[in-house]
Structures are given as C-alpha cells and as structure tokens.
C-alpha cells in the first residue's frame, strides 16, 4: 500500500497540486474618474486579465494584461521640489507612473492618494465641473523636498463618466 501512495505523490507536479497551472497575478492602479455630477473621485482598481505568453520569441512568457490598443504619446516629466499642480483636469486620458520621488493626487471628493515609484494612476477627470469652491479635476503636488520623476502615457481614449475601474 505504501508503494501505491508513493507512486501517487510522485505523479503530482513538483508543487504538490493536481493542477500545476500558474495563477495569474493581480496588480493595482488608482483611477481618477468623474461622476455624472462632474465630481472627480479616486478608486483603487485591479489589473487582473493576465495571460501568460511571450511578447517576442524567443523571449520567455510573461504575464500580460493588454488594456487597449491605440495611439499614445509618452512623456517623461521631472517636477521640481515642492511642485504645486493646483486644481486642474488631466489634459488627456493618461497613465502616470512615478519613477522616483512621491507625489499626491486629491480628487474633488476630498480623497487624497500618495503614490511612489512603481505605483500607477489613470487620470480621467476631463469631464469634471467646477464646484462651489472653484475646484475642477484634481489637485496634485510633490511629497517631500525633492523632485519627482513621472512617466506619463497620454492616450487617444475618449473620457467617460461614472465608469470607475473601466479597464478590467
């Protein structure tokens, strides 16, 4: 009987699971979106439609979540120490990734998010409307005394309303 049990264990993959399919990861981004009243909000959203495949043979497979194909412009920015973005909407639907330093985004609903290197933000508050205090879009600025370097990927997406986490 011991031999049969040993044979069954040896037949399992090294992980010890009957199914050795890799589990797709989940990564996160902050979405600065606008509701139907023109108020901006910050919502934490998942990237989770990952597929394990190669980008270019003979490179090995890697997890990929392709959100949307289209035209994009890539901009590297360096915000000087104590940079103050004031209240403004994003110029285009854009992905923003801090490379060094930390910065913050405060939405019109008061939700403030601080992001550091490797975190991701999707700016989509172009359809926000001025509130009673004259705020529109979001307020952004640097955290700390140093500069902040960002990678900005502006897309040709049409801004939406009431669609937090629309890239799923």
């Amino acid at each position: 009987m011991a031999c049969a049990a040993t044979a069954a264990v040896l037949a399992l993959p090294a992980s010890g699971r009957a199914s050795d399919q890799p589990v797709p990861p989940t990564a996160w981004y902050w979405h600065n979106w606008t509701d139907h009243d023109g108020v901006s909000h910050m919502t934490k959203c998942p990237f989770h439609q990952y597929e394990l495949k190669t980008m270019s043979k003979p490179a090995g497979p890697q997890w990929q979540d392709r959100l949307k194909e289209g035209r994009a412009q890539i901009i590297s920015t360096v915000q000087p120490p104590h940079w103050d973005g004031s209240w403004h909407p994003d110029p285009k639907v854009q992905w923003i990734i801090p490379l060094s330093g930390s910065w913050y985004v405060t939405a019109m609903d008061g939700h403030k998010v601080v992001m550091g290197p490797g975190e991701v933000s999707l700016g989509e508050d172009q359809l926000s409307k001025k509130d009673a205090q004259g705020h529109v879009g979001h307020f952004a600025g640097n955290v700390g005394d140093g500069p902040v370097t960002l990678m900005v990927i502006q897309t040709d997406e049409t801004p939406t309303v009431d669609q937090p986490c629309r890239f799923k």
Side-chain angles (χ1 to χ4, degrees), residues 59-93:
Q62 57 188 305
W63 290 106
Q64 300 175 42
D65 184 355
R66 294 190 177 251
L67 304 176
K68 176 108 170 75
E69 286 190 44
R71 295 177 42 117
Q73 173 155 359
I74 300 170
I75 305 166
S76 174
T77 70
V78 178
Q79 298 167 340
H82 308 286
W83 179 80
D84 173 351
S86 194
W87 284 98
H88 67 282
D90 288 299
K92 293 186 173 199
V93 176

Side-chain angles (χ1 to χ4, degrees), residues 10-87:
L10 292 176
L12 287 175
S15 68
R17 297 188 322 232
S19 170
D20 201 26
Q21 294 291 357
V23 177
T26 299
W28 301 92
Y29 69 96
W30 287 99
H31 188 180
N32 182 15
W33 60 279
T34 303
D35 68 22
H36 61 279
D37 291 325
V39 176
S40 65
H41 305 271
M42 294 293 288
T43 301
K44 192 172 186 178
C45 308
F47 291 118
H48 56 85
Q49 303 284 333
Y50 284 100
E51 205 178 329
L52 188 59
K53 61 182 183 177
T54 183
M55 274 198 183
S56 178
K57 291 183 179 185
Q62 57 188 305
W63 290 106
Q64 300 175 42
D65 184 355
R66 294 190 177 251
L67 304 176
K68 176 108 170 75
E69 286 190 44
R71 295 177 42 117
Q73 173 155 359
I74 300 170
I75 305 166
S76 174
T77 70
V78 178
Q79 298 167 340
H82 308 286
W83 179 80
D84 173 351
S86 194
W87 284 98

Side-chain angles (χ1 to χ4, degrees), residues 136-157:
V136 63
H138 62 279
F139 191 97
N142 290 2
V143 175
D145 294 326
V148 175
T149 302
L150 304 173
M151 180 66 65
V152 180
I153 304 165
Q154 293 184 332
T155 72
D156 63 354
E157 286 286 316

Side-chain angles (χ1 to χ4, degrees), residues 1-12:
M1 187 69 136
C3 290
T6 302
V9 170
L10 292 176
L12 287 175

